[in-house]
Amino acid sequence: MSTFEGLIPELPGTAIDRFEPGQRQRASAFFLSHCHTDHMRGLELDEVLPGPLYLSPVSAVFIRHRFPHHAHLVRTIAIGEQVTLAIHPVERGEKEYELTVRSIAAEHCPGSVMFFFETATQRILYTGDFRPSRRDGNTSKIRSLRPQIVYLDSTFLDPDYIHFPTRIQSAEKIVALCSQWLAEDKRNRVSLWLPAHCGSEDLFLSIFERMQEKIHITEKQRAPLLHFATLSDVLTDDATVRIHACQDHFSAFEESPEEDEMYHRLPKRLRQEPNINS
């Protein structure tokens, strides 16, 4: 859960990953690193932002679907692209200045980026949530930036997370569990409780490629996800399939004695209520 307040003192007139009244009153340019709820607080407000919203092209798809009243403010910065902006600070005494912004792949979820900011006197890296890999030389690119100041996400900076499985390892484990469960009984179903509105797209693809099982999602989920061409054959509105990522799937169990019985045959550790507050 992000605790960042959204304002960087070295960059007056900007706000990042926080869009509530306190940030809106002090900023004229806004930046979004990725589309997870804890980084979008304030976008749900009816009032539109008082300035443009800079984000990646993939994040722009999600924002236009989820918060259409902000769509006209969306300005995309492609990964690797560099743009120069004129920033007009809102607070008295602050002068207009030129800000160069570079977008860097954060590899946290689809569309997630870090922002590298440069002014006449400062070089600042804002990471947001990130999980860079050595793929495409991304870690080397990050090291070459040499920022003077880093705003670093430290969610997993804890001894409990010394071992952190890779995405490939995690996907393999999930595929193995799903395969085993579905093989045990033809009545068995899998419900994937997603931790966020986006970020599971690679997992969907892995499940489909390894198991040849389509995944059911709701119509509301479907609209932005179908902008990913690789998912067009993976996702379905056919509720009879065996794997579900639809948030309302288990609510139907109350109406189906057969499925209710199936649920209670799950091991206790798998019957815990999911955390859907992200």
Side-chain angles (χ1 to χ4, degrees), residues 81-100:
E81 183 182 1
Q82 181 171 294
V83 299
T84 300
L85 310 173
I87 302 298
H88 307 276
V90 175
E91 297 181 273
R92 289 185 178 181
E94 297 286 357
K95 296 181 180 180
E96 177 182 329
Y97 64 96
E98 192 173 88
L99 178 65
T100 299

Side-chain angles (χ1 to χ4, degrees), residues 187-225:
R187 298 175 299 167
N188 285 356
R189 299 290 183 270
V190 171
S191 186
L192 302 171
W193 292 103
L194 307 181
H197 291 282
C198 68
S200 301
E201 293 77 12
D202 286 341
L203 175 61
F204 294 160
L205 190 59
S206 295
I207 290 173
F208 177 74
E209 290 177 343
R210 298 278 297 278
M211 300 178 62
Q212 293 301 299
E213 294 276 358
K214 289 194 173 188
I215 300 166
H216 176 246
I217 59 172
T218 64
E219 186 62 32
K220 183 178 180 180
Q221 293 170 289
R222 187 179 182 85
L225 290 176

Side-chain angles (χ1 to χ4, degrees), residues 7 37 49 56 59 103 114 116 125 127 170 193 236 247 262:
L7 300 172
T37 305
L49 292 173
S56 73
S59 292
S103 175
M114 307 181 200
F116 183 59
L125 177 64
T127 68
S170 299
W193 292 103
T236 180
Q247 295 176 351
M262 177 179 67

Side-chain angles (χ1 to χ4, degrees), residues 72-84:
H72 66 290
L73 296 171
V74 166
R75 307 287 187 272
T76 60
I77 305 177
I79 290 176
E81 183 182 1
Q82 181 171 294
V83 299
T84 300

Side-chain angles (χ1 to χ4, degrees), residues 33-206:
S33 66
H34 66 287
C35 293
H36 283 164
T37 305
D38 57 326
H39 290 256
M40 298 192 295
R41 280 178 285 183
L43 288 180
E44 76 282 357
L45 299 175
D46 292 335
E47 297 82 5
V48 298
L49 292 173
L53 175 63
Y54 296 93
L55 69 178
S56 73
V58 172
S59 292
V61 171
F62 288 110
I63 292 301
R64 288 183 178 118
H65 278 275
R66 191 169 180 187
F67 305 110
H69 59 300
H70 294 306
H72 66 290
L73 296 171
V74 166
R75 307 287 187 272
T76 60
I77 305 177
I79 290 176
E81 183 182 1
Q82 181 171 294
V83 299
T84 300
L85 310 173
I87 302 298
H88 307 276
V90 175
E91 297 181 273
R92 289 185 178 181
E94 297 286 357
K95 296 181 180 180
E96 177 182 329
Y97 64 96
E98 192 173 88
L99 178 65
T100 299
V101 186
R102 190 186 312 176
S103 175
I104 302 159
E107 301 185 70
H108 172 63
C109 67
S112 62
V113 295
M114 307 181 200
F115 290 112
F116 183 59
F117 299 103
E118 291 183 274
T119 68
T121 59
Q122 302 276 7
R123 297 192 308 277
I124 301 169
L125 177 64
Y126 173 84
T127 68
D129 293 346
F130 69 108
R131 195 178 184 183
S133 67
R134 295 177 181 175
R135 183 179 61 188
D136 300 326
N138 199 30
T139 52
S140 298
K141 294 174 186 175
I142 296 169
R143 282 196 295 267
S144 69
L145 296 174
R146 299 190 179 280
Q148 297 164 304
I149 300 171
V150 177
Y151 284 81
L152 178 72
D153 171 73
S154 57
T155 302
F156 295 103
L157 187 62
D158 188 288
D160 288 343
Y161 299 102
I162 290 176
H163 173 67
F164 212 101
T166 66
R167 282 193 179 87
I168 293 175
Q169 291 171 331
S170 299
E172 288 176 347
K173 182 67 173 180
I174 292 171
V175 167
L177 287 170
C178 292
S179 299
Q180 179 183 354
W181 176 245
L182 293 182
E184 287 183 6
D185 193 310
K186 65 180 181 180
R187 298 175 299 167
N188 285 356
R189 299 290 183 270
V190 171
S191 186
L192 302 171
W193 292 103
L194 307 181
H197 291 282
C198 68
S200 301
E201 293 77 12
D202 286 341
L203 175 61
F204 294 160
L205 190 59
S206 295

